[in-house]
Amino acid sequence: MVWAGISYNGRTNLYVFKNGTVNGQRYRDEILAPYVVPYASAVGQEFILMDDNATAHRARIVNAYLEDQGIHRMYWPA
């Protein structure tokens, strides 16, 4: 499993998840906290996270974390 961030002015390096499947906690700890939150802070209020409807992305722990961080998601229907 891999992850990368893409934005209007660039992209992140490819992140490779090692050792097992990705769940909400791993997504929060390995992607959101080290990559998304700092980038969102740098962009400011206009930052909107666009992800797909993968189970790990919609986990309660992820939803709570994004809400606590003040990060808004783009509506993305199933």
Side-chain angles (χ1 to χ4, degrees):
M1 185 69 70
V2 297
W3 177 89
I6 302 168
S7 74
Y8 62 92
N9 65 349
R11 61 177 171 77
T12 67
N13 291 329
L14 190 65
Y15 181 85
V16 178
F17 288 94
K18 296 183 184 345
N19 302 324
T21 60
V22 179
N23 58 25
Q25 183 174 350
R26 285 192 73 188
Y27 180 60
R28 180 195 66 187
D29 296 346
E30 296 179 38
I31 299 299
L32 295 177
Y35 294 102
V36 175
V37 170
Y39 187 74
S41 295
V43 170
Q45 291 290 348
E46 60 272 2
F47 179 83
I48 299 173
L49 177 64
M50 181 180 171
D51 57 16
D52 60 20
N53 289 317
T55 304
H57 299 168
R58 297 297 180 240
R60 279 181 255 173
I61 192 170
V62 169
N63 291 335
Y65 182 74
L66 291 174
E67 186 174 319
D68 288 346
Q69 297 298 317
I71 294 178
H72 302 285
R73 282 185 170 140
M74 178 181 285
Y75 175 69
W76 193 255

